[in-house]
Protein backbone atom coordinates (compact mmCIF):
# COMPACT_ATOMS: atom_id res chain seq x y z
CA UNK A 1 0.00 0.00 0.00
CA UNK A 2 2.80 2.46 0.78
CA UNK A 3 4.16 2.16 -2.76
CA UNK A 4 0.67 2.63 -4.19
CA UNK A 5 0.14 5.79 -2.12
CA UNK A 6 3.52 7.22 -3.08
CA UNK A 7 2.64 6.54 -6.72
CA UNK A 8 -0.61 8.46 -6.31
CA UNK A 9 1.22 11.29 -4.55
CA UNK A 10 3.82 11.65 -7.30
CA UNK A 11 1.29 11.25 -10.08
CA UNK A 12 -0.99 13.94 -8.66
CA UNK A 13 1.99 16.18 -7.96
CA UNK A 14 3.05 15.91 -11.60
CA UNK A 15 -0.49 16.54 -12.86
CA UNK A 16 -0.92 19.71 -10.79
CA UNK A 17 2.61 20.97 -11.29
CA UNK A 18 2.60 20.32 -15.03
CA UNK A 19 -0.96 21.38 -15.78
CA UNK A 20 -1.36 24.32 -13.43
CA UNK A 21 2.28 25.26 -13.93
CA UNK A 22 1.70 25.62 -17.65
CA UNK A 23 -1.29 27.87 -16.91
CA UNK A 24 0.54 30.05 -14.36
CA UNK A 25 3.96 30.26 -15.99
CA UNK A 26 3.48 29.77 -19.72
CA UNK A 27 -0.11 30.38 -20.85
CA UNK A 28 0.22 34.14 -21.33
CA UNK A 29 3.97 34.44 -21.60
CA UNK A 30 4.83 37.55 -23.64
CA UNK A 31 4.64 36.81 -27.37
CA UNK A 32 5.21 33.07 -26.86
CA UNK A 33 2.30 32.10 -24.62
CA UNK A 34 0.94 28.58 -25.08
CA UNK A 35 -2.70 29.65 -24.49
CA UNK A 36 -5.65 27.38 -23.76
CA UNK A 37 -4.53 24.75 -26.26
CA UNK A 38 -1.11 24.45 -24.66
CA UNK A 39 -2.54 24.21 -21.14
CA UNK A 40 -5.01 21.54 -22.24
CA UNK A 41 -2.23 19.54 -23.83
CA UNK A 42 -0.04 19.93 -20.74
CA UNK A 43 -2.72 18.41 -18.50
CA UNK A 44 -3.13 15.52 -20.91
CA UNK A 45 0.62 14.91 -21.11
CA UNK A 46 0.98 14.78 -17.34
CA UNK A 47 -1.55 11.96 -17.19
CA UNK A 48 -0.01 10.04 -20.10
CA UNK A 49 3.50 10.22 -18.70
CA UNK A 50 2.67 9.33 -15.10
CA UNK A 51 0.16 6.65 -16.07
CA UNK A 52 2.93 4.89 -17.97
CA UNK A 53 5.44 5.60 -15.17
CA UNK A 54 3.46 4.51 -12.10
CA UNK A 55 0.08 3.32 -13.33
CA UNK A 56 1.20 -0.28 -12.97
CA UNK A 57 1.81 0.39 -9.26
CA UNK A 58 -1.33 2.23 -8.15
CA UNK A 59 -3.65 2.15 -11.14
CA UNK A 60 -2.84 5.76 -11.98
CA UNK A 61 -5.86 7.58 -10.55
CA UNK A 62 -4.28 10.93 -9.52
CA UNK A 63 -7.78 12.26 -8.89
CA UNK A 64 -10.32 11.66 -6.09
CA UNK A 65 -13.18 11.69 -8.59
CA UNK A 66 -11.54 8.82 -10.49
CA UNK A 67 -10.96 6.85 -7.30
CA UNK A 68 -14.57 7.29 -6.20
CA UNK A 69 -15.85 6.62 -9.71
CA UNK A 70 -13.86 3.40 -10.00
CA UNK A 71 -15.26 2.31 -6.64
CA UNK A 72 -18.79 3.04 -7.90
CA UNK A 73 -17.99 1.04 -11.02
CA UNK A 74 -16.91 -1.97 -9.00
CA UNK A 75 -13.26 -1.63 -9.96
CA UNK A 76 -11.79 -0.42 -6.65
CA UNK A 77 -11.95 -1.54 -3.02
CA UNK A 78 -13.84 0.66 -0.55
CA UNK A 79 -11.11 0.34 2.10
CA UNK A 80 -8.57 2.00 -0.21
CA UNK A 81 -10.64 5.03 -1.24
CA UNK A 82 -9.77 7.34 1.68
CA UNK A 83 -6.00 6.59 1.68
CA UNK A 84 -5.87 7.25 -2.08
CA UNK A 85 -7.78 10.53 -1.78
CA UNK A 86 -5.52 11.72 1.04
CA UNK A 87 -2.37 10.92 -0.96
CA UNK A 88 -3.79 12.71 -4.00
CA UNK A 89 -4.73 15.85 -2.08
CA UNK A 90 -1.32 16.01 -0.39
CA UNK A 91 0.32 15.62 -3.81
CA UNK A 92 -1.77 18.46 -5.22
CA UNK A 93 -0.95 20.77 -2.32
CA UNK A 94 2.77 19.96 -2.54
CA UNK A 95 2.78 20.73 -6.26
CA UNK A 96 0.97 24.03 -5.70
CA UNK A 97 3.53 24.94 -3.02
CA UNK A 98 6.46 24.35 -5.38
CA UNK A 99 4.67 26.26 -8.14
CA UNK A 100 4.06 29.15 -5.75
CA UNK A 101 7.78 29.28 -4.86
CA UNK A 102 8.64 29.52 -8.54
CA UNK A 103 5.92 31.97 -9.58
CA UNK A 104 6.52 34.31 -6.65
CA UNK A 105 10.07 34.84 -7.88
CA UNK A 106 8.79 37.14 -10.61
CA UNK A 107 8.35 40.83 -9.86
CA UNK A 108 4.71 41.85 -9.70
CA UNK A 109 3.39 38.36 -9.02
CA UNK A 110 -0.05 38.55 -7.37
CA UNK A 111 -1.48 35.21 -6.27
CA UNK A 112 -4.87 36.65 -5.29
CA UNK A 113 -5.38 38.91 -8.28
CA UNK A 114 -4.11 36.44 -10.88
CA UNK A 115 -6.11 33.46 -9.66
CA UNK A 116 -3.16 31.05 -9.61
CA UNK A 117 -4.90 28.66 -12.06
CA UNK A 118 -7.78 28.23 -9.61
CA UNK A 119 -11.21 26.99 -10.60
CA UNK A 120 -14.17 29.32 -10.34
CA UNK A 121 -17.57 30.41 -11.56
CA UNK A 122 -19.39 33.71 -11.92
CA UNK A 123 -16.95 36.59 -11.90
CA UNK A 124 -14.12 34.09 -11.35
CA UNK A 125 -14.95 32.02 -14.41
CA UNK A 126 -12.53 32.84 -17.28
CA UNK A 127 -15.56 33.42 -19.52
CA UNK A 128 -17.95 34.73 -16.88
CA UNK A 129 -20.08 31.57 -16.75
CA UNK A 130 -22.61 31.04 -13.96
CA UNK A 131 -22.71 28.51 -11.13
CA UNK A 132 -25.30 26.54 -13.11
CA UNK A 133 -22.97 26.35 -16.10
CA UNK A 134 -20.09 25.27 -13.86
CA UNK A 135 -22.13 22.50 -12.24
CA UNK A 136 -23.45 21.11 -15.53
CA UNK A 137 -20.12 21.08 -17.35
CA UNK A 138 -18.12 19.62 -14.45
CA UNK A 139 -20.77 16.94 -13.90
CA UNK A 140 -21.03 15.91 -17.54
CA UNK A 141 -17.30 15.96 -18.25
CA UNK A 142 -16.36 14.03 -15.11
CA UNK A 143 -19.01 11.41 -15.84
CA UNK A 144 -17.75 10.93 -19.38
CA UNK A 145 -14.16 10.87 -18.14
CA UNK A 146 -15.05 7.90 -15.93
CA UNK A 147 -16.89 6.17 -18.76
CA UNK A 148 -13.77 6.47 -20.90
CA UNK A 149 -11.51 5.28 -18.08
CA UNK A 150 -13.70 2.25 -17.41
CA UNK A 151 -13.91 1.51 -21.12
CA UNK A 152 -10.23 1.69 -21.98
CA UNK A 153 -9.29 -0.40 -18.94
CA UNK A 154 -11.95 -3.03 -19.65
CA UNK A 155 -10.57 -6.51 -20.28
CA UNK A 156 -12.11 -6.33 -23.78
CA UNK A 157 -10.19 -3.16 -24.72
CA UNK A 158 -6.86 -3.23 -26.62
CA UNK A 159 -4.01 -3.57 -24.11
CA UNK A 160 -1.42 -0.87 -23.58
CA UNK A 161 -3.32 2.13 -24.93
CA UNK A 162 -5.25 3.21 -21.84
CA UNK A 163 -2.83 5.99 -20.75
CA UNK A 164 -2.95 7.57 -24.21
CA UNK A 165 -6.74 7.47 -24.37
CA UNK A 166 -7.12 8.84 -20.84
CA UNK A 167 -4.58 11.63 -21.44
CA UNK A 168 -6.24 12.64 -24.71
CA UNK A 169 -9.63 12.64 -22.98
CA UNK A 170 -8.32 14.99 -20.30
CA UNK A 171 -6.93 17.24 -23.05
CA UNK A 172 -10.35 17.32 -24.73
CA UNK A 173 -12.04 18.04 -21.39
CA UNK A 174 -9.79 21.07 -20.92
CA UNK A 175 -10.37 22.31 -24.46
CA UNK A 176 -14.10 22.31 -23.75
CA UNK A 177 -14.21 23.71 -20.24
CA UNK A 178 -11.25 26.03 -19.56
CA UNK A 179 -13.41 29.05 -20.50
CA UNK A 180 -16.19 27.92 -18.15
CA UNK A 181 -14.47 26.88 -14.90
CA UNK A 182 -10.75 26.77 -15.75
CA UNK A 183 -11.43 22.99 -15.70
CA UNK A 184 -11.39 20.95 -12.55
CA UNK A 185 -12.87 17.42 -12.88
CA UNK A 186 -10.31 16.78 -10.11
CA UNK A 187 -10.79 17.93 -6.50
CA UNK A 188 -7.10 17.44 -5.64
CA UNK A 189 -6.06 19.74 -8.48
CA UNK A 190 -8.59 22.34 -7.35
CA UNK A 191 -7.61 22.15 -3.68
CA UNK A 192 -3.87 22.62 -4.13
CA UNK A 193 -4.03 25.93 -5.98
CA UNK A 194 -7.09 27.19 -4.05
CA UNK A 195 -5.15 27.03 -0.78
CA UNK A 196 -2.50 29.36 -2.16
CA UNK A 197 -4.98 31.64 -3.91
CA UNK A 198 -6.52 31.93 -0.48
CA UNK A 199 -9.67 33.99 -1.02
CA UNK A 200 -12.48 33.39 -3.54
CA UNK A 201 -11.02 30.07 -4.72
CA UNK A 202 -11.45 28.57 -1.26
CA UNK A 203 -14.99 29.94 -1.04
CA UNK A 204 -15.94 28.28 -4.33
CA UNK A 205 -13.95 25.08 -3.76
CA UNK A 206 -17.01 23.13 -2.57
CA UNK A 207 -18.30 23.03 -6.15
CA UNK A 208 -15.09 21.43 -7.39
CA UNK A 209 -15.29 18.72 -4.77
CA UNK A 210 -19.00 17.95 -4.79
CA UNK A 211 -19.70 18.04 -8.52
CA UNK A 212 -16.71 16.00 -9.79
CA UNK A 213 -17.31 13.35 -7.11
CA UNK A 214 -20.97 13.06 -8.09
CA UNK A 215 -20.02 13.01 -11.77
CA UNK A 216 -17.47 10.30 -11.10
CA UNK A 217 -20.06 8.14 -9.36
CA UNK A 218 -22.52 8.66 -12.21
CA UNK A 219 -19.93 7.71 -14.82
CA UNK A 220 -18.87 4.62 -12.88
CA UNK A 221 -22.46 3.46 -12.43
CA UNK A 222 -23.32 4.07 -16.09
CA UNK A 223 -20.47 1.85 -17.23
CA UNK A 224 -21.13 -0.79 -14.56
CA UNK A 225 -24.87 -1.01 -15.20
CA UNK A 226 -25.15 -0.38 -18.94
CA UNK A 227 -21.82 -1.20 -20.60
CA UNK A 228 -19.93 -3.74 -18.49
CA UNK A 229 -19.70 -7.31 -19.77
CA UNK A 230 -21.39 -9.32 -17.00
CA UNK A 231 -20.18 -12.69 -18.31
Amino acid sequence: MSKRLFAEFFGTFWLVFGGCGSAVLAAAFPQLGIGFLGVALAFGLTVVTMAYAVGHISGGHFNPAITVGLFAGGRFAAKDVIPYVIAQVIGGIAAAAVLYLIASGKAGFDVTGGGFASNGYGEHSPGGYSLQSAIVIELVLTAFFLIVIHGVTDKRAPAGFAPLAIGLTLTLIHLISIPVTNTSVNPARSTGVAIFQGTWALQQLWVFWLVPLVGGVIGGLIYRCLLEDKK
Side-chain angles (χ1 to χ4, degrees), residues 5-227:
L5 296 180
F6 275 120
E8 286 298 303
F9 169 86
F10 288 121
T12 312
F13 180 101
W14 191 236
L15 186 153
V16 174
F17 185 71
C20 295
S22 69
V24 171
L25 304 175
F29 192 81
Q31 300 177 352
L32 296 174
I34 62 174
F36 284 176
L37 177 60
V39 173
L41 185 59
F43 271 101
L45 288 173
T46 63
V47 169
V48 171
T49 51
M50 288 308 289
Y52 277 120
V54 302
H56 58 284
I57 299 171
S58 68
H61 299 186
F62 318 143
N63 179 343
I66 292 177
T67 298
V68 171
L70 288 172
F71 163 70
R75 301 279 190 88
F76 195 69
K79 65 181 178 63
D80 295 336
V81 170
I82 297 300
Y84 263 53
V85 170
I86 292 172
Q88 292 155 1
V89 172
I90 294 173
I93 294 170
V98 175
L99 180 58
Y100 178 82
L101 288 174
I102 296 168
S104 61
K106 180 180 179 180
F109 172 70
D110 180 7
V111 69
T112 57
F116 200 53
S118 296
N119 302 115
Y121 57 85
E123 64 179 313
H124 303 298
S125 158
Y129 288 86
S130 68
L131 173 59
Q132 174 182 294
S133 297
I135 290 173
V136 172
I137 201 163
E138 291 286 335
L139 188 74
V140 170
L141 291 178
T142 312
F144 271 90
F145 197 20
L146 265 295
I147 291 171
V148 170
I149 290 168
H150 278 82
V152 299
T153 56
D154 193 297
K155 62 180 181 293
R156 297 169 292 172
F161 293 100
L164 285 174
I166 294 168
L168 288 172
T169 302
L170 189 60
T171 298
L172 175 61
I173 285 170
H174 279 78
L175 289 174
I176 297 168
S177 60
I178 287 177
V180 183
T181 61
N182 220 18
T183 309
S184 172
V185 301
N186 185 339
R189 168 262 190 269
S190 299
T191 300
V193 291
I195 287 173
F196 287 87
Q197 199 284 327
T199 56
W200 60 262
L202 284 174
Q203 296 166 8
Q204 297 189 351
L205 183 59
W206 66 273
V207 174
F208 304 105
W209 269 92
L210 177 62
V211 179
L213 290 178
V214 173
V217 169
I218 291 172
L221 290 175
I222 287 173
Y223 197 88
R224 184 177 189 175
C225 298
L226 302 179
L227 302 170

